[in-house]
Amino acid sequence: MRTANVRTIVIWTLVALVGATGWAVLALARGEDVSAAWMVAAALGSYAIGYRFYAKFIAHKVLKVDATRATPAERLNNGIDFHPTDRRVLLGHHFAAIAGAGPLVGPVLAAQMGYLPGTIWIIAGVIFAGAVQDMVVLFFSTRRDGRSLGQMAREEIGPFGGAAALVAAFAIMIILLGVLALVIVNALAASPWGTFSIAMTIPIALLMGFYLRVLRPGRVAEISLIGVGLLLLALVAGRWVAESSWAGAFTLAPSTLVVWLVAYGFIASILPVWMLLAPRDYLSTFMKIGTIALLALGVVIALPTLKMDAVTDFASRGDGPVFAGSLFPFVFITIACGALSGFHALISSGTTPKMIQKETQVRMIGYGSMLMESSVAIMALVAASIIDPGLYFAMNAPAGVIGTTVDNASQVVTSWGYSISPADLAQAAKNVEESSLLSRTGGAPTLAVGVSEIFSKVTGGSLRAFWYHFAIMFEALFILTALDAGTRVGRFMLQDMLGNVYRPFKNISWKPGLVLTSAIVCALWGYFLWVGVHEPLGGINQLFPIFGISNQLLAAVALAVCTTLLVKSGRLKWAWITGIPLAWDATVTLTASFQKVFSSDPKVGFFKQRSVFQDAIDDGKVLPPAKSMDDMHTVVTNSTVDGILTAVLALLIVVVIADALRVCVRHVRRPALSTLSEAPYVESKILAPAGLIPTREEKEEARDAVTAAGS
């Protein structure tokens, strides 16, 4: 035992030293070249320590997870929404569902401020806020029959604050889904390779679902190999299709992709989870984790240099071309999902608590999945920071700012202090077999260029274009899995809300209810998607700030609910675990909301932007980047909607936090008045490991169970 302890101490000391060295190099470097490998070292060392010590402390000391307690998946199993799912498949589903556009797009856009602010927030934020939120919400939802976040707020905080939380959570969910879908459209538009490969993941997932459910139940390893093989074939075949006469059939305009995505979201929301959702997410997880792991390995092998400044001038001036606003609060809002995401709380109180086998798995699935997503964000930041800064700004600034020619773009970007020649801009596009890389906003193309840069240094420059298109397809697959799971969760939330008025909706598997609510949810986020596709200001540039603000406001709701539940369940001394992240998140997000509503800078404030464009309309003028009076009216309408939404959502969140504080104070003063809506204890009959690899005790327990069953 003593030898094992010494070995453990040595291992964790080395892990701590690796992480600390990475942080020291990043923080102390001034002017000299810094390898991106140090960013990877700082992240991985910090993640390992956070998971091993902090997450374990919260799970066992604070939450007191109970392996003997039956979960909703076991007690309410109906094969549609409630279904005990193998921990490996569920980890894949949960990670795929939470890892949407945010960790890919947000860090790329935030690189405008330099690589250091983003790195600090992504790593510190996930360890102390994002992963904690995901795990605690998953635990409390599992204890409440898989209740949605809004419904938990209504039951635990009260009808007033709960109603505000229900409305806010649902409205924010619709906005998030619209922006997720917009990034997919931007990545797949006019890309037959990506469109074909993504489309093929659907029949592959259906095959996997029926294989595990009907043909060979429990044979996860078998179908994993089959699924990965078919996925790789779909990737290779995508290039064949793009170079064949079939290319036209898979070259879709943005408007056409909107229709297909809405139809897919509806179908995925109403099918049983085992048929499409879980296997498809599990399948895509191999792709996601594999690509990110290879990317990290590529960074270690190629040792690319971080070319972006540690902190740029835009961080203090707040006039960046990618997004306007100062470092505080907008770098935190822009990064969104990579560090703290309210969207995750909807998954952690949506599909996952209805599928988890054991309470003891909340640490691996809740905290572990969020660390995996944060690693994606770090790799996205690395990819954006190793390419030429001039190319980065040329790709991420709207056409209305830099123009549509390489000569004009070169002049504008050079005026910002990041010189790049027209020839270099043209060559960068030629290297990845694109006609142009100018104003490829949304983050996905920038990440793809960074990925191709890293991989081509390992495999050779001749494959640069292959890796670029591979990355575009990878990003679309990455985000689509969050879209289908998010649509189902949106359906759960709407059913919870309507169930307070008409009781049959409370049964989330009631066929008429699930069809009607799925259609409503898809129509609502489809509207935001359509608006984004036809937005003159560049869609993603206009919608991503409200995406980030909404996401962080939703995180405030989740952390308020978690803090309230910790207090009411007798864990007052541990309420700081979610209370401190709540205070930080509320400060940052409400500051950003105030600036987006009331700022006098038309690049920041929605209403000021509306006023400027409306005045121009009154004078008969067309302001760039609008090209017509119709575009001008579109900007006015969208700015008005965004401003009103931001103000209303911020007000709702203030109501939720204030009501949650009232409930906590009342409980401390008069505990007898508090009630908990926790489901009664039922003993579990399922045996399943808490982590990916069973411990010796878990193996012995499984053997004993088999022996007892045989006798």
Side-chain angles (χ1 to χ4, degrees):
M1 181 64 72
R2 184 173 180 79
T3 304
N5 285 339
V6 170
R7 184 174 68 243
T8 300
I9 291 170
V10 169
I11 290 172
W12 285 104
T13 300
L14 290 174
V15 170
L17 286 173
V18 168
T21 304
W23 279 116
V25 172
L26 292 175
L28 300 177
R30 292 292 183 272
E32 61 267 31
D33 289 343
V34 176
S35 171
W38 291 116
M39 194 184 292
V40 175
L44 295 182
S46 302
Y47 295 154
I49 291 172
Y51 183 79
R52 170 61 180 81
F53 298 101
Y54 194 49
K56 188 175 183 180
F57 160 74
I58 295 173
H60 295 283
K61 183 74 173 178
V62 178
L63 301 180
K64 293 183 168 59
V65 293
D66 186 353
T68 69
R69 190 185 188 107
T71 64
E74 181 178 356
R75 290 186 290 102
L76 307 174
N77 183 10
N78 62 10
I80 298 176
D81 294 309
F82 293 91
H83 178 63
T85 304
D86 184 282
R87 70 197 184 284
R88 294 161 293 187
V89 175
L90 186 58
L91 177 67
H93 157 72
H94 187 79
F95 171 65
I98 66 171
L104 296 174
V105 177
V108 171
L109 301 182
Q112 167 182 271
M113 301 292 193
Y115 65 79
L116 190 56
T119 302
I120 293 172
W121 173 235
I122 289 170
I123 298 174
V126 72
I127 291 171
F128 297 109
V132 173
Q133 171 209 260
D134 293 11
M135 176 171 65
V136 176
V137 169
L138 177 57
F139 171 79
F140 282 126
S141 180
T142 301
R143 282 279 174 101
R144 285 159 178 76
D145 290 341
R147 286 276 192 273
S148 69
L149 177 65
Q151 192 63 24
M152 283 197 293
R154 187 176 185 277
E155 293 173 351
E156 301 294 350
I157 295 177
F160 186 58
L166 276 169
V167 173
F170 183 70
I172 290 169
M173 184 62 158
I174 296 302
I175 295 169
L176 301 186
L177 290 173
V179 177
L180 290 175
L182 179 58
V183 178
I184 298 172
V185 169
N186 287 344
L188 293 185
S191 175
W193 184 353
T195 302
F196 174 83
S197 299
I198 293 299
M200 288 306 298
T201 62
I202 297 172
I204 294 172
L206 289 170
L207 170 65
M208 292 177 68
F210 279 98
Y211 193 97
L212 279 177
R213 178 79 172 188
V214 180
L215 300 178
R216 301 271 286 172
R219 304 289 184 170
V220 176
E222 284 180 18
I223 195 56
S224 298
L225 291 174
I226 295 171
V228 171
L230 291 173
L231 177 61
L232 293 175
L233 178 61
L235 290 176
V236 176
R239 189 172 199 181
W240 299 339
V241 168
E243 297 171 352
S244 73
S245 59
W246 289 12
F250 291 94
T251 305
L252 304 180
S255 299
T256 307
L257 282 168
V258 170
V259 176
W260 280 110
L261 281 176
V262 171
Y264 169 75
F266 174 75
I267 293 170
S269 177
I270 62 177
L271 289 178
V273 286
W274 61 265
M275 188 181 294
L276 177 61
L277 187 70
R280 191 181 181 289
D281 291 352
Y282 178 61
L283 173 68
S284 70
T285 296
F286 283 102
M287 178 78 166
K288 294 179 178 184
I289 296 176
T291 301
I292 295 303
L294 287 174
L295 202 52
L297 185 62
V299 169
V300 173
I301 295 172
L303 298 176
T305 300
L306 295 169
K307 296 179 182 176
M308 186 65 75
D309 297 331
V311 182
T312 68
D313 292 339
F314 295 125
S316 56
R317 295 206 311 258
D319 60 350
V322 180
F323 64 91
S326 56
L327 189 151
F328 179 88
F330 287 104
V331 76
F332 307 100
I333 298 302
T334 304
I335 285 174
C337 301
L340 171 65
S341 172
F343 176 75
H344 297 185
L346 303 182
I347 304 298
S348 292
S349 62
T351 51
T352 306
K354 300 175 181 65
M355 301 162 70
I356 194 168
Q357 292 175 312
K358 308 292 284 185
E359 275 190 9
T360 47
Q361 295 170 352
V362 299
R363 176 183 170 219
M364 175 187 72
I365 293 170
Y367 200 98
S369 290
M370 184 52 191
L371 291 183
M372 289 158 58
E373 172 164 359
S374 185
S375 69
V376 174
I378 284 292
M379 295 315 303
L381 186 57
V382 166
S385 301
I386 64 166
I387 66 175
D388 187 291
L391 177 60
Y392 168 85
F393 284 107
M395 291 185 68
N396 288 283
V401 176
I402 63 170
T404 56
T405 67
V406 290
D407 291 311
N408 199 57
S410 172
Q411 291 176 9
V412 175
V413 171
T414 300
S415 72
W416 297 333
Y418 299 98
S419 62
I420 186 167
S421 69
D424 288 339
L425 286 173
Q427 186 60 46
K430 185 178 178 182
N431 288 342
V432 295
E433 297 179 10
E434 289 279 0
S435 58
S436 173
L437 288 176
L438 299 183
S439 300
R440 295 295 300 274
T441 58
T446 304
L447 177 57
V449 168
V451 169
S452 68
E453 181 82 15
I454 294 169
F455 282 166
S456 63
K457 285 186 177 180
V458 178
T459 62
S462 61
L463 290 176
R464 189 185 295 269
F466 172 84
W467 289 122
Y468 172 84
H469 288 281
F470 166 83
I472 288 289
M473 188 282 310
F474 156 75
E475 293 170 283
L477 176 63
F478 207 103
I479 299 163
L480 190 59
T481 53
L483 186 68
D484 52 23
T487 301
R488 183 178 289 259
V489 172
R491 187 250 288 179
F492 292 157
M493 294 167 68
L494 185 55
Q495 286 175 286
D496 272 345
M497 291 170 66
L498 295 177
N500 294 320
V501 179
Y502 184 57
R503 193 145 193 87
F505 280 104
K506 284 285 187 186
N507 177 6
I508 60 171
S509 300
W510 179 51
K511 293 272 193 316
L514 68 87
V515 171
L516 176 63
T517 50
S518 294
I520 293 172
V521 169
C522 290
L524 289 172
W525 65 253
Y527 163 77
F528 278 96
L529 174 57
W530 187 265
V531 166
V533 165
H534 298 88
E535 167 61 61
L537 291 178
I540 195 71
N541 301 71
Q542 182 77 338
L543 285 178
F544 207 83
I546 193 172
F547 169 90
I549 288 172
S550 300
N551 200 11
Q552 302 301 283
L553 287 173
L554 189 55
V557 173
L559 290 167
V561 171
C562 289
T563 305
T564 304
L565 283 169
L566 286 173
V567 172
K568 289 177 65 177
S569 60
R571 301 172 172 94
L572 175 62
K573 67 178 180 179
W574 305 121
W576 59 267
I577 288 172
T578 54
I580 292 175
L582 169 61
W584 167 258
D585 181 53
T587 301
V588 169
T589 314
L590 293 175
T591 301
S593 299
F594 183 86
Q595 291 187 21
K596 292 303 290 184
V597 173
F598 295 109
S599 174
S600 59
D601 183 350
K603 293 181 179 179
V604 177
F606 287 128
F607 289 134
K608 183 62 177 178
Q609 183 182 81
R610 179 202 180 281
S611 175
V612 168
F613 276 79
Q614 184 61 56
D615 290 346
I617 290 173
D618 295 340
D619 294 337
K621 297 177 182 177
V622 175
L623 301 179
K627 296 181 175 64
S628 66
M629 243 344 138
D630 285 343
D631 284 354
M632 294 289 290
H633 284 290
T634 300
V635 172
V636 168
T637 300
N638 292 348
S639 298
T640 305
V641 171
D642 289 348
I644 292 172
L645 270 174
T646 302
V648 170
L649 292 174
L651 183 61
L652 287 171
I653 269 56
V654 169
V655 169
V656 173
I657 294 174
D659 212 20
L661 180 61
R662 176 189 63 79
V663 171
C664 290
V665 171
R666 186 189 67 180
H667 175 83
V668 171
R669 290 177 174 174
R670 302 179 67 184
L673 295 178
S674 297
T675 57
L676 284 172
S677 58
E678 192 172 282
Y681 174 91
V682 174
E683 186 175 358
S684 174
K685 293 180 169 50
I686 292 178
L687 287 179
L692 277 179
I693 302 173
T695 63
R696 184 173 58 188
E697 292 79 7
E698 288 170 339
K699 289 178 180 177
E700 290 174 355
E701 186 180 18
R703 280 197 297 267
D704 292 344
V706 171
T707 303
S711 60

